[in-house]
């Protein structure tokens, strides 16, 4: 199954990213289109996109900090969260296993991003109130959220 939503269709939905598409982050810039599709295998799709130059972005709580994260590039951190970027050479089987186990963890989010230049990442705080990682500055970019367990993807495009 493959369904594509235009910008005009997205404008008609109250909060398309949280409720309609279930993204684990907030996006300040409305995309030009969003495509939902079933994919044969999430891991294969992830590896293909990393090979194409996409970056895997991972947000996780500061503690615990599993061994697999010691070699990854830290993008940002605050009192509660850490934000990492992973390229094709840094991706490991142990990281895949951890992502798969943590897919539904409330404080984790991960997605693929085509371009990092100009993107602003605003980390959430969990003391007092929880909110999602927020992205802005996504001009001419592609963001892919993989639903690992059900082999689905949501692709957001900005022109």
């Amino acid at each position: 199954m493959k369904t594509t939503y235009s910008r005009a269709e997205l404008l008609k939905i109250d909060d398309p990213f949280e409720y309609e598409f279930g993204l684990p982050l907030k996006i300040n810039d409305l995309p030009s289109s969003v495509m939902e599709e079933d994919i044969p295998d999430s891991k294969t799709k992830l590896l293909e996109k990393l090979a194409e130059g996409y970056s895997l972005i991972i947000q996780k709580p500061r503690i615990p900090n599993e061994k697999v994260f010691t070699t990854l590039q830290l993008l940002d951190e605050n009192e509660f969260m850490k934000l990492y970027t992973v390229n094709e050479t840094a991706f490991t089987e142990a990281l895949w296993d951890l992502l798969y186990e943590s897919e539904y963890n409330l404080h984790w989010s991960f997605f693929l991003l085509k371009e990092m230049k100009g993107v602003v990442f605003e980390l959430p705080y969990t003391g007092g109130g929880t909110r999602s990682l927020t992205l802005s500055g996504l001009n001419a970019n592609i963001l892919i959220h993989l639903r690992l367990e059900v082999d689905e993807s949501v692709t957001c495009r900005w022109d």
Side-chain angles (χ1 to χ4, degrees), residues 42-145:
S42 295
K43 185 175 182 182
T44 300
K45 176 90 169 189
L46 175 62
L47 294 172
E48 286 172 0
K49 292 302 175 184
L50 288 172
E52 291 174 16
Y54 280 74
S55 297
L56 175 63
I57 309 299
I58 303 170
Q59 173 201 280
K60 63 171 283 313
R62 286 183 64 89
I63 300 172
N65 202 24
E66 295 82 354
K67 241 187 203 183
V68 71
F69 288 97
T70 58
T71 61
L72 301 182
Q73 181 183 350
L74 183 67
L75 278 178
D76 197 5
E77 64 183 313
N78 63 22
E79 292 179 48
F80 304 102
M81 298 289 175
K82 288 189 173 197
L83 190 66
Y84 293 91
T85 182
V86 181
N87 62 22
E88 180 183 23
T89 57
F91 189 81
T92 64
E93 192 66 31
L95 181 57
W96 166 259
D97 292 341
L98 189 57
L99 292 177
Y100 196 86
E101 289 172 18
S102 304
E103 181 173 15
Y104 298 108
N105 186 317
L106 177 64
H107 300 294
W108 283 67
S109 66
F110 49 89
F111 53 90
L112 293 156
L113 197 57
K114 181 66 175 171
E115 283 293 325
M116 299 283 291
K117 185 178 177 186
V119 177
V120 177
F121 300 91
E122 184 182 336
L123 284 170
Y125 288 88
T126 56
T130 302
R131 57 186 186 97
S132 302
L133 172 67
T134 303
L135 300 182
S136 57
L138 291 160
N139 305 325
N141 213 334
I142 300 171
L143 181 148
I144 301 171
H145 174 245

Side-chain angles (χ1 to χ4, degrees), residues 2-69:
K2 184 187 230 180
T3 306
T4 302
Y5 300 86
S6 68
R7 180 181 295 256
E9 291 170 315
L10 293 172
L11 287 169
K12 294 177 185 175
I13 303 171
D14 285 337
D15 188 348
F17 306 111
E18 184 175 351
Y19 301 114
E20 184 69 26
F21 305 117
L23 296 182
L25 54 114
K26 290 190 178 188
I27 301 170
N28 284 340
D29 311 312
L30 190 67
S32 304
S33 67
V34 174
M35 179 180 63
E36 285 186 299
E37 66 180 320
D38 294 328
I39 53 177
D41 179 60
S42 295
K43 185 175 182 182
T44 300
K45 176 90 169 189
L46 175 62
L47 294 172
E48 286 172 0
K49 292 302 175 184
L50 288 172
E52 291 174 16
Y54 280 74
S55 297
L56 175 63
I57 309 299
I58 303 170
Q59 173 201 280
K60 63 171 283 313
R62 286 183 64 89
I63 300 172
N65 202 24
E66 295 82 354
K67 241 187 203 183
V68 71
F69 288 97

